[in-house]
Amino acid sequence: MLKARLAAGEPLIGSFLKTPSPILVEVLATAGLDCLCLDAEHAPFDRGDVDLCVMAGRAAGLPILVRTPTAAAEHILSALDCGADGVLLPHIRAAAEAEAAVAAATYRPGGRGYAGSSRAARYGLASMAEHRAAAQQRTLVIAQIEDVEAVEAIDEIAAVEGLDALFVGRIDLTVALDAATPDAPEVIAAVDRVIAAGRRAGKPVGMFVPRDADVPGWRAKGATLFLQGSEHAFIRAGAAAMRRAADG
């Protein structure tokens, strides 16, 4: 189970999916990835697209996260009812926002709305007790840290009970800091600060890094989850390599 592996500190490698296609989920499930993240924030995923892609992932045994359009409760509910293994929540800037997101993903008073007819509840085959227990064991809630306010409040965010991990949105963080590149010293310092806060709170930290070759260095610093590239990048790289080979 992805949640247990992340909590245990296993090194995990996944990627983003930008094209709403269950076929691509099936293809990527043969690549040895630990998970795939549907990018419903920046790509044209509607609920039907998420539903089909999650179904394909579950059928292929590939854990599926959803980067929701926002951290709103309705977006969290939709992804989890489809059967996603967790949500990656953009622009979490404060502990109160993280607390609200955890509540929206959790079956408790004032929290996630219950439906026993969803894929997550095995279309009515799971009892309420079974489904609630399974959801608690399976569901990942990950806060994406990509704003100056989030970095400044990172210890408070990391301490939120029920939040499973922090994820550095390094490109947006670069923009937020008005830095020239993701490798600018102020960006690296901010990422280091997030990792340190995660370690203090006992929370895993994930990230995207601009170059795959940088992953071992960030692992050495304490990050364990990496969502690298997307099928767009893989397709382009493969096509370019074919062109070069054909041209001699």
Side-chain angles (χ1 to χ4, degrees):
M1 190 176 298
L2 186 65
K3 180 169 180 169
R5 295 179 66 195
L6 183 63
E10 289 189 33
L12 302 171
I13 292 287
S15 184
F16 286 103
L17 187 74
K18 305 283 188 175
T19 307
S21 169
I23 295 172
L24 290 177
V25 175
E26 290 180 304
V27 171
L28 290 169
T30 67
L33 298 176
D34 295 299
C35 64
L36 193 63
C37 184
L38 311 182
D39 192 359
E41 182 189 16
H42 292 297
F45 283 85
D46 61 22
R47 181 163 182 162
D49 297 323
V50 171
D51 188 65
L52 287 173
C53 289
V54 170
M55 179 176 66
R58 287 168 71 101
L62 179 65
I64 301 290
L65 302 172
V66 178
R67 179 155 70 179
T68 53
T70 72
E74 59 266 28
H75 291 147
I76 295 171
L77 175 65
S78 175
L80 296 182
D81 275 0
C82 286
D85 292 87
V87 285
L88 176 59
L89 303 169
H91 295 290
I92 297 296
R93 298 179 176 91
E97 294 177 356
E99 290 166 356
V102 169
T106 307
Y107 288 123
R108 66 189 194 194
R112 177 179 172 185
Y114 186 87
S117 59
S118 65
R119 177 183 292 114
R122 298 169 52 214
Y123 300 111
L125 289 179
S127 69
M128 180 179 283
E130 289 170 339
H131 178 42
R132 291 178 69 180
Q136 183 174 356
Q137 292 174 353
R138 176 189 184 121
T139 302
L140 276 167
V141 183
I142 305 173
Q144 189 154 300
I145 307 301
E146 50 194 340
D147 300 279
V148 174
E149 302 96 317
V151 176
E152 292 175 348
I154 193 59
D155 282 303
E156 292 83 359
I157 294 171
V160 170
E161 185 176 355
L163 185 67
D164 294 291
L166 306 170
F167 187 90
V168 180
R170 186 161 157 188
I171 303 304
D172 273 359
L173 188 56
T174 300
V175 174
L177 291 166
D178 199 24
T181 75
D183 297 315
E186 60 268 37
V187 179
I188 300 302
V191 179
D192 285 337
R193 187 171 171 183
V194 174
I195 292 175
R199 296 182 75 167
R200 284 192 293 271
K203 295 279 171 64
V205 176
M207 63 179 68
F208 162 85
V209 295
R211 295 166 298 272
D212 294 342
D214 293 346
V215 168
W218 286 105
R219 275 185 179 162
K221 287 188 173 186
T224 57
L225 169 65
F226 295 88
L227 298 178
Q228 292 298 105
S230 71
E231 85 287 359
H232 289 178
F234 305 148
I235 291 167
R236 182 183 298 111
M242 180 185 68
R243 177 77 260 181
R244 290 191 298 271
D247 289 342

Short mmCIF file of all heavy atoms in Angstrom, two decimals, residues 50-112:
data_model
loop_
_atom_site.label_atom_id
_atom_site.label_comp_id
_atom_site.label_asym_id
_atom_site.label_seq_id
_atom_site.Cartn_x
_atom_site.Cartn_y
_atom_site.Cartn_z
N VAL A 50 -10.97 11.46 -14.47
CA VAL A 50 -10.34 10.95 -13.26
C VAL A 50 -10.86 9.55 -12.95
O VAL A 50 -10.09 8.63 -12.62
CB VAL A 50 -10.58 11.90 -12.07
CG1 VAL A 50 -10.12 11.27 -10.75
CG2 VAL A 50 -9.85 13.22 -12.29
N ASP A 51 -12.15 9.36 -13.07
CA ASP A 51 -12.79 8.07 -12.78
C ASP A 51 -12.18 6.96 -13.63
O ASP A 51 -11.80 5.91 -13.13
CB ASP A 51 -14.29 8.19 -13.01
CG ASP A 51 -15.05 6.96 -12.55
OD1 ASP A 51 -15.05 6.68 -11.34
OD2 ASP A 51 -15.64 6.27 -13.40
N LEU A 52 -12.08 7.21 -14.95
CA LEU A 52 -11.56 6.18 -15.85
C LEU A 52 -10.09 5.90 -15.60
O LEU A 52 -9.65 4.74 -15.63
CB LEU A 52 -11.77 6.62 -17.31
CG LEU A 52 -13.20 6.55 -17.83
CD1 LEU A 52 -13.28 7.18 -19.22
CD2 LEU A 52 -13.70 5.10 -17.88
N CYS A 53 -9.32 6.95 -15.35
CA CYS A 53 -7.88 6.76 -15.12
C CYS A 53 -7.62 6.05 -13.80
O CYS A 53 -6.71 5.21 -13.70
CB CYS A 53 -7.16 8.10 -15.18
SG CYS A 53 -7.05 8.79 -16.85
N VAL A 54 -8.40 6.36 -12.77
CA VAL A 54 -8.26 5.65 -11.50
C VAL A 54 -8.64 4.18 -11.68
O VAL A 54 -7.96 3.28 -11.17
CB VAL A 54 -9.11 6.31 -10.40
CG1 VAL A 54 -9.16 5.43 -9.16
CG2 VAL A 54 -8.55 7.68 -10.04
N MET A 55 -9.72 3.93 -12.42
CA MET A 55 -10.13 2.56 -12.69
C MET A 55 -9.00 1.78 -13.38
O MET A 55 -8.70 0.65 -13.00
CB MET A 55 -11.38 2.53 -13.56
CG MET A 55 -11.87 1.13 -13.91
SD MET A 55 -13.41 1.13 -14.84
CE MET A 55 -12.87 1.88 -16.38
N ALA A 56 -8.38 2.41 -14.38
CA ALA A 56 -7.29 1.74 -15.09
C ALA A 56 -6.12 1.47 -14.16
O ALA A 56 -5.50 0.40 -14.21
CB ALA A 56 -6.85 2.59 -16.27
N GLY A 57 -5.79 2.43 -13.30
CA GLY A 57 -4.70 2.23 -12.35
C GLY A 57 -4.98 1.10 -11.38
O GLY A 57 -4.10 0.26 -11.11
N ARG A 58 -6.19 1.06 -10.87
CA ARG A 58 -6.53 0.00 -9.92
C ARG A 58 -6.50 -1.37 -10.60
O ARG A 58 -6.02 -2.35 -10.02
CB ARG A 58 -7.91 0.28 -9.31
CG ARG A 58 -7.89 1.42 -8.30
CD ARG A 58 -9.29 1.86 -7.92
NE ARG A 58 -10.01 0.90 -7.11
CZ ARG A 58 -10.17 0.98 -5.78
NH1 ARG A 58 -9.65 2.01 -5.12
NH2 ARG A 58 -10.84 0.08 -5.12
N ALA A 59 -6.97 -1.43 -11.83
CA ALA A 59 -6.95 -2.70 -12.56
C ALA A 59 -5.53 -3.18 -12.82
O ALA A 59 -5.26 -4.39 -12.81
CB ALA A 59 -7.71 -2.55 -13.88
N ALA A 60 -4.62 -2.23 -13.03
CA ALA A 60 -3.23 -2.58 -13.33
C ALA A 60 -2.36 -2.67 -12.09
O ALA A 60 -1.18 -3.00 -12.18
CB ALA A 60 -2.64 -1.53 -14.28
N GLY A 61 -2.92 -2.37 -10.92
CA GLY A 61 -2.15 -2.43 -9.69
C GLY A 61 -1.20 -1.27 -9.49
O GLY A 61 -0.21 -1.38 -8.77
N LEU A 62 -1.50 -0.12 -10.14
CA LEU A 62 -0.67 1.07 -10.02
C LEU A 62 -1.36 2.09 -9.14
O LEU A 62 -2.44 2.59 -9.50
CB LEU A 62 -0.40 1.66 -11.40
CG LEU A 62 0.43 2.95 -11.45
CD1 LEU A 62 1.85 2.68 -10.96
CD2 LEU A 62 0.45 3.54 -12.85
N PRO A 63 -0.82 2.45 -7.99
CA PRO A 63 -1.44 3.45 -7.13
C PRO A 63 -1.59 4.79 -7.86
O PRO A 63 -0.67 5.22 -8.57
CB PRO A 63 -0.49 3.57 -5.95
CG PRO A 63 0.23 2.25 -5.91
CD PRO A 63 0.39 1.87 -7.35
N ILE A 64 -2.74 5.42 -7.66
CA ILE A 64 -3.05 6.68 -8.34
C ILE A 64 -3.31 7.78 -7.32
O ILE A 64 -4.18 7.64 -6.45
CB ILE A 64 -4.29 6.54 -9.25
CG1 ILE A 64 -4.07 5.46 -10.31
CG2 ILE A 64 -4.62 7.88 -9.90
CD1 ILE A 64 -3.06 5.80 -11.38
N LEU A 65 -2.54 8.86 -7.45
CA LEU A 65 -2.82 10.09 -6.73
C LEU A 65 -3.50 11.06 -7.68
O LEU A 65 -3.37 10.95 -8.90
CB LEU A 65 -1.52 10.72 -6.21
CG LEU A 65 -0.65 9.88 -5.28
CD1 LEU A 65 0.68 10.58 -5.03
CD2 LEU A 65 -1.37 9.60 -3.97
N VAL A 66 -4.21 12.03 -7.13
CA VAL A 66 -4.81 13.08 -7.95
C VAL A 66 -4.37 14.43 -7.40
O VAL A 66 -4.58 14.72 -6.21
CB VAL A 66 -6.36 13.01 -7.95
CG1 VAL A 66 -6.95 14.16 -8.78
CG2 VAL A 66 -6.84 11.67 -8.50
N ARG A 67 -3.71 15.22 -8.26
CA ARG A 67 -3.48 16.61 -7.89
C ARG A 67 -4.75 17.35 -8.25
O ARG A 67 -5.06 17.56 -9.42
CB ARG A 67 -2.27 17.20 -8.61
CG ARG A 67 -2.06 18.68 -8.22
CD ARG A 67 -0.64 19.15 -8.38
NE ARG A 67 -0.24 19.25 -9.78
CZ ARG A 67 0.97 19.67 -10.19
NH1 ARG A 67 1.89 19.98 -9.28
NH2 ARG A 67 1.27 19.73 -11.45
N THR A 68 -5.51 17.71 -7.24
CA THR A 68 -6.82 18.30 -7.43
C THR A 68 -6.72 19.73 -7.94
O THR A 68 -5.70 20.40 -7.76
CB THR A 68 -7.60 18.27 -6.11
OG1 THR A 68 -6.81 18.89 -5.08
CG2 THR A 68 -7.94 16.85 -5.69
N PRO A 69 -7.79 20.23 -8.59
CA PRO A 69 -7.75 21.62 -9.08
C PRO A 69 -7.49 22.62 -7.96
O PRO A 69 -6.78 23.61 -8.15
CB PRO A 69 -9.13 21.81 -9.70
CG PRO A 69 -9.58 20.44 -10.07
CD PRO A 69 -9.02 19.54 -9.01
N THR A 70 -8.08 22.38 -6.81
CA THR A 70 -7.88 23.19 -5.61
C THR A 70 -7.94 22.26 -4.41
O THR A 70 -8.21 21.07 -4.54
CB THR A 70 -8.96 24.29 -5.45
OG1 THR A 70 -10.20 23.65 -5.06
CG2 THR A 70 -9.17 25.07 -6.74
N ALA A 71 -7.75 22.82 -3.24
CA ALA A 71 -7.89 22.02 -2.01
C ALA A 71 -9.31 22.06 -1.46
O ALA A 71 -9.54 21.69 -0.31
CB ALA A 71 -6.91 22.52 -0.96
N ALA A 72 -10.27 22.46 -2.29
CA ALA A 72 -11.66 22.53 -1.86
C ALA A 72 -12.20 21.14 -1.55
O ALA A 72 -11.81 20.15 -2.18
CB ALA A 72 -12.52 23.19 -2.94
N ALA A 73 -13.11 21.08 -0.59
CA ALA A 73 -13.64 19.80 -0.14
C ALA A 73 -14.27 19.00 -1.27
O ALA A 73 -14.13 17.77 -1.34
CB ALA A 73 -14.66 20.02 0.98
N GLU A 74 -14.98 19.68 -2.19
CA GLU A 74 -15.65 18.95 -3.28
C GLU A 74 -14.64 18.29 -4.23
O GLU A 74 -14.90 17.21 -4.77
CB GLU A 74 -16.60 19.87 -4.06
CG GLU A 74 -15.96 21.08 -4.70
CD GLU A 74 -16.02 22.32 -3.83
OE1 GLU A 74 -16.06 22.19 -2.59
OE2 GLU A 74 -16.05 23.43 -4.41
N HIS A 75 -13.48 18.92 -4.43
CA HIS A 75 -12.48 18.32 -5.29
C HIS A 75 -11.82 17.11 -4.61
O HIS A 75 -11.53 16.11 -5.26
CB HIS A 75 -11.42 19.35 -5.66
CG HIS A 75 -11.92 20.42 -6.56
ND1 HIS A 75 -11.46 21.73 -6.52
CD2 HIS A 75 -12.86 20.40 -7.55
CE1 HIS A 75 -12.08 22.45 -7.43
NE2 HIS A 75 -12.94 21.66 -8.06
N ILE A 76 -11.61 17.21 -3.32
CA ILE A 76 -11.04 16.10 -2.56
C ILE A 76 -12.01 14.92 -2.56
O ILE A 76 -11.64 13.78 -2.84
CB ILE A 76 -10.71 16.54 -1.13
CG1 ILE A 76 -9.60 17.60 -1.14
CG2 ILE A 76 -10.31 15.34 -0.27
CD1 ILE A 76 -9.36 18.26 0.19
N LEU A 77 -13.28 15.20 -2.28
CA LEU A 77 -14.30 14.15 -2.22
C LEU A 77 -14.41 13.43 -3.56
O LEU A 77 -14.48 12.19 -3.61
CB LEU A 77 -15.65 14.77 -1.84
CG LEU A 77 -16.86 13.82 -1.86
CD1 LEU A 77 -16.71 12.74 -0.80
CD2 LEU A 77 -18.15 14.59 -1.66
N SER A 78 -14.44 14.18 -4.65
CA SER A 78 -14.59 13.59 -5.97
C SER A 78 -13.46 12.62 -6.26
O SER A 78 -13.70 11.48 -6.71
CB SER A 78 -14.62 14.71 -7.02
OG SER A 78 -14.65 14.18 -8.33
N ALA A 79 -12.23 13.03 -6.02
CA ALA A 79 -11.08 12.16 -6.30
C ALA A 79 -11.10 10.90 -5.45
O ALA A 79 -10.86 9.79 -5.95
CB ALA A 79 -9.78 12.92 -6.07
N LEU A 80 -11.41 11.04 -4.18
CA LEU A 80 -11.38 9.89 -3.28
C LEU A 80 -12.54 8.94 -3.53
O LEU A 80 -12.37 7.71 -3.45
CB LEU A 80 -11.35 10.35 -1.83
CG LEU A 80 -10.11 11.16 -1.43
CD1 LEU A 80 -10.18 11.53 0.04
CD2 LEU A 80 -8.83 10.39 -1.74
N ASP A 81 -13.72 9.45 -3.84
CA ASP A 81 -14.84 8.57 -4.16
C ASP A 81 -14.57 7.76 -5.42
O ASP A 81 -15.05 6.63 -5.57
CB ASP A 81 -16.14 9.36 -4.31
CG ASP A 81 -16.85 9.61 -2.98
OD1 ASP A 81 -16.32 9.17 -1.93
OD2 ASP A 81 -17.92 10.23 -2.99
N CYS A 82 -13.81 8.33 -6.36
CA CYS A 82 -13.42 7.59 -7.57
C CYS A 82 -12.48 6.43 -7.24
O CYS A 82 -12.29 5.54 -8.06
CB CYS A 82 -12.76 8.51 -8.59
SG CYS A 82 -13.91 9.63 -9.44
N GLY A 83 -11.89 6.47 -6.06
CA GLY A 83 -11.01 5.39 -5.64
C GLY A 83 -9.54 5.72 -5.67
O GLY A 83 -8.70 4.82 -5.57
N ALA A 84 -9.19 7.01 -5.78
CA ALA A 84 -7.78 7.40 -5.77
C ALA A 84 -7.14 7.03 -4.44
O ALA A 84 -7.80 7.00 -3.39
CB ALA A 84 -7.65 8.90 -6.01
N ASP A 85 -5.85 6.76 -4.50
CA ASP A 85 -5.11 6.42 -3.28
C ASP A 85 -4.80 7.63 -2.42
O ASP A 85 -4.39 7.48 -1.27
CB ASP A 85 -3.80 5.72 -3.65
CG ASP A 85 -4.05 4.35 -4.26
OD1 ASP A 85 -4.23 4.28 -5.49
OD2 ASP A 85 -4.07 3.37 -3.52
N GLY A 86 -4.96 8.82 -2.99
CA GLY A 86 -4.71 10.02 -2.22
C GLY A 86 -4.79 11.26 -3.06
O GLY A 86 -5.01 11.19 -4.29
N VAL A 87 -4.64 12.39 -2.41
CA VAL A 87 -4.73 13.67 -3.09
C VAL A 87 -3.47 14.49 -2.80
O VAL A 87 -2.96 14.50 -1.68
CB VAL A 87 -5.99 14.46 -2.66
CG1 VAL A 87 -7.24 13.86 -3.30
CG2 VAL A 87 -6.14 14.50 -1.14
N LEU A 88 -3.01 15.16 -3.84
CA LEU A 88 -1.92 16.12 -3.74
C LEU A 88 -2.56 17.49 -3.88
O LEU A 88 -3.13 17.81 -4.93
CB LEU A 88 -0.90 15.87 -4.85
CG LEU A 88 0.28 16.83 -4.98
CD1 LEU A 88 1.09 16.89 -3.70
CD2 LEU A 88 1.15 16.44 -6.17
N LEU A 89 -2.51 18.28 -2.82
CA LEU A 89 -3.32 19.49 -2.73
C LEU A 89 -2.50 20.73 -2.98
O LEU A 89 -1.57 21.04 -2.24
CB LEU A 89 -3.97 19.55 -1.34
CG LEU A 89 -4.81 18.31 -1.02
CD1 LEU A 89 -5.21 18.29 0.44
CD2 LEU A 89 -6.04 18.24 -1.92
N PRO A 90 -2.84 21.47 -4.04
CA PRO A 90 -2.02 22.64 -4.41
C PRO A 90 -2.20 23.81 -3.46
O PRO A 90 -3.25 23.99 -2.84
CB PRO A 90 -2.52 22.98 -5.81
CG PRO A 90 -3.93 22.48 -5.85
CD PRO A 90 -3.95 21.25 -4.98
N HIS A 91 -1.15 24.60 -3.35
CA HIS A 91 -1.16 25.89 -2.67
C HIS A 91 -1.73 25.84 -1.25
O HIS A 91 -2.61 26.62 -0.89
CB HIS A 91 -1.93 26.91 -3.52
CG HIS A 91 -1.26 27.22 -4.82
ND1 HIS A 91 -0.09 27.93 -4.91
CD2 HIS A 91 -1.60 26.87 -6.09
CE1 HIS A 91 0.26 28.03 -6.19
NE2 HIS A 91 -0.62 27.39 -6.92
N ILE A 92 -1.21 24.90 -0.46
CA ILE A 92 -1.50 24.91 0.97
C ILE A 92 -0.54 25.92 1.60
O ILE A 92 0.67 25.75 1.57
CB ILE A 92 -1.33 23.52 1.60
CG1 ILE A 92 -2.33 22.53 0.99
CG2 ILE A 92 -1.49 23.60 3.12
CD1 ILE A 92 -3.78 22.85 1.25
N ARG A 93 -1.11 26.99 2.17
CA ARG A 93 -0.28 28.11 2.65
C ARG A 93 -0.23 28.24 4.16
O ARG A 93 0.60 28.98 4.69
CB ARG A 93 -0.81 29.43 2.06
CG ARG A 93 -0.77 29.50 0.54
CD ARG A 93 -1.33 30.83 0.05
NE ARG A 93 -1.22 30.98 -1.39
CZ ARG A 93 -2.16 30.62 -2.26
NH1 ARG A 93 -3.29 30.10 -1.81
NH2 ARG A 93 -1.98 30.79 -3.55
N ALA A 94 -1.13 27.54 4.86
CA ALA A 94 -1.21 27.72 6.31
C ALA A 94 -1.71 26.44 6.95
O ALA A 94 -2.35 25.60 6.31
CB ALA A 94 -2.15 28.89 6.65
N ALA A 95 -1.45 26.32 8.25
CA ALA A 95 -1.89 25.13 8.98
C ALA A 95 -3.41 24.97 8.93
O ALA A 95 -3.91 23.85 8.81
CB ALA A 95 -1.41 25.21 10.42
N ALA A 96 -4.14 26.07 8.99
CA ALA A 96 -5.60 25.98 8.95
C ALA A 96 -6.09 25.38 7.64
O ALA A 96 -7.06 24.61 7.62
CB ALA A 96 -6.21 27.37 9.16
N GLU A 97 -5.41 25.71 6.54
CA GLU A 97 -5.79 25.13 5.25
C GLU A 97 -5.48 23.63 5.22
O GLU A 97 -6.27 22.84 4.69
CB GLU A 97 -5.06 25.84 4.12
CG GLU A 97 -5.47 27.29 3.95
CD GLU A 97 -4.68 28.02 2.89
OE1 GLU A 97 -3.75 27.43 2.31
OE2 GLU A 97 -5.01 29.20 2.63
N ALA A 98 -4.36 23.24 5.79
CA ALA A 98 -4.02 21.82 5.86
C ALA A 98 -5.02 21.07 6.73
O ALA A 98 -5.44 19.96 6.40
CB ALA A 98 -2.60 21.65 6.40
N GLU A 99 -5.41 21.67 7.84
CA GLU A 99 -6.39 21.03 8.73
C GLU A 99 -7.73 20.84 8.02
O GLU A 99 -8.37 19.79 8.15
CB GLU A 99 -6.57 21.87 9.99
CG GLU A 99 -5.36 21.85 10.91
CD GLU A 99 -5.42 22.93 11.98
OE1 GLU A 99 -6.36 23.75 11.94
OE2 GLU A 99 -4.52 22.96 12.84
N ALA A 100 -8.16 21.84 7.26
CA ALA A 100 -9.42 21.74 6.53
C ALA A 100 -9.34 20.65 5.47
O ALA A 100 -10.31 19.90 5.25
CB ALA A 100 -9.76 23.09 5.89
N ALA A 101 -8.21 20.54 4.81
CA ALA A 101 -8.04 19.51 3.79
C ALA A 101 -8.06 18.11 4.39
O ALA A 101 -8.68 17.20 3.85
CB ALA A 101 -6.73 19.75 3.03
N VAL A 102 -7.38 17.94 5.52
CA VAL A 102 -7.39 16.64 6.19
C VAL A 102 -8.81 16.27 6.59
O VAL A 102 -9.26 15.13 6.41
CB VAL A 102 -6.46 16.67 7.42
CG1 VAL A 102 -6.68 15.42 8.28
CG2 VAL A 102 -5.01 16.76 6.99
N ALA A 103 -9.56 17.24 7.12
CA ALA A 103 -10.95 16.97 7.50
C ALA A 103 -11.77 16.54 6.30
O ALA A 103 -12.58 15.61 6.37
CB ALA A 103 -11.56 18.21 8.14
N ALA A 104 -11.57 17.22 5.15
CA ALA A 104 -12.35 16.91 3.95
C ALA A 104 -12.02 15.53 3.39
O ALA A 104 -12.83 14.95 2.66
CB ALA A 104 -12.08 17.98 2.89
N ALA A 105 -10.86 14.99 3.74
CA ALA A 105 -10.46 13.68 3.25
C ALA A 105 -10.73 12.56 4.24
O ALA A 105 -10.44 11.40 3.95
CB ALA A 105 -8.97 13.71 2.91
N THR A 106 -11.30 12.89 5.39
CA THR A 106 -11.42 11.94 6.48
C THR A 106 -12.88 11.78 6.90
O THR A 106 -13.62 12.76 7.01
CB THR A 106 -10.61 12.42 7.71
OG1 THR A 106 -9.27 12.70 7.29
CG2 THR A 106 -10.59 11.37 8.79
N TYR A 107 -13.29 10.53 7.15
CA TYR A 107 -14.64 10.28 7.65
C TYR A 107 -14.67 10.57 9.15
O TYR A 107 -14.21 9.77 9.98
CB TYR A 107 -15.04 8.83 7.40
CG TYR A 107 -15.31 8.54 5.94
CD1 TYR A 107 -14.62 7.54 5.27
CD2 TYR A 107 -16.27 9.26 5.24
CE1 TYR A 107 -14.88 7.26 3.94
CE2 TYR A 107 -16.53 9.00 3.91
CZ TYR A 107 -15.83 7.99 3.26
OH TYR A 107 -16.09 7.73 1.94
N ARG A 108 -15.19 11.74 9.49
CA ARG A 108 -15.34 12.14 10.89
C ARG A 108 -16.37 13.26 10.92
O ARG A 108 -16.74 13.79 9.86
CB ARG A 108 -14.00 12.61 11.46
CG ARG A 108 -13.45 13.88 10.85
CD ARG A 108 -12.04 14.14 11.34
NE ARG A 108 -11.57 15.49 11.07
CZ ARG A 108 -10.32 15.87 11.17
NH1 ARG A 108 -9.38 14.99 11.53
NH2 ARG A 108 -9.96 17.11 10.92
N PRO A 109 -16.86 13.64 12.07
CA PRO A 109 -17.86 14.71 12.12
C PRO A 109 -17.36 15.98 11.42
O PRO A 109 -16.26 16.46 11.69
CB PRO A 109 -18.05 14.94 13.62
CG PRO A 109 -17.73 13.62 14.24
CD PRO A 109 -16.61 13.05 13.41
N GLY A 110 -18.16 16.47 10.49
CA GLY A 110 -17.79 17.66 9.76
C GLY A 110 -16.80 17.43 8.64
O GLY A 110 -16.31 18.37 8.01
N GLY A 111 -16.50 16.15 8.36
CA GLY A 111 -15.49 15.82 7.37
C GLY A 111 -16.07 15.31 6.07
O GLY A 111 -17.09 15.80 5.58
N ARG A 112 -15.42 14.31 5.51
CA ARG A 112 -15.76 13.78 4.19
C ARG A 112 -17.18 13.23 4.16
O ARG A 112 -17.60 12.48 5.05
CB ARG A 112 -14.77 12.68 3.83
CG ARG A 112 -15.02 11.96 2.51
CD ARG A 112 -13.93 10.91 2.30
NE ARG A 112 -14.21 10.06 1.15
CZ ARG A 112 -13.49 9.01 0.79
NH1 ARG A 112 -12.43 8.70 1.52
NH2 ARG A 112 -13.81 8.28 -0.26
#
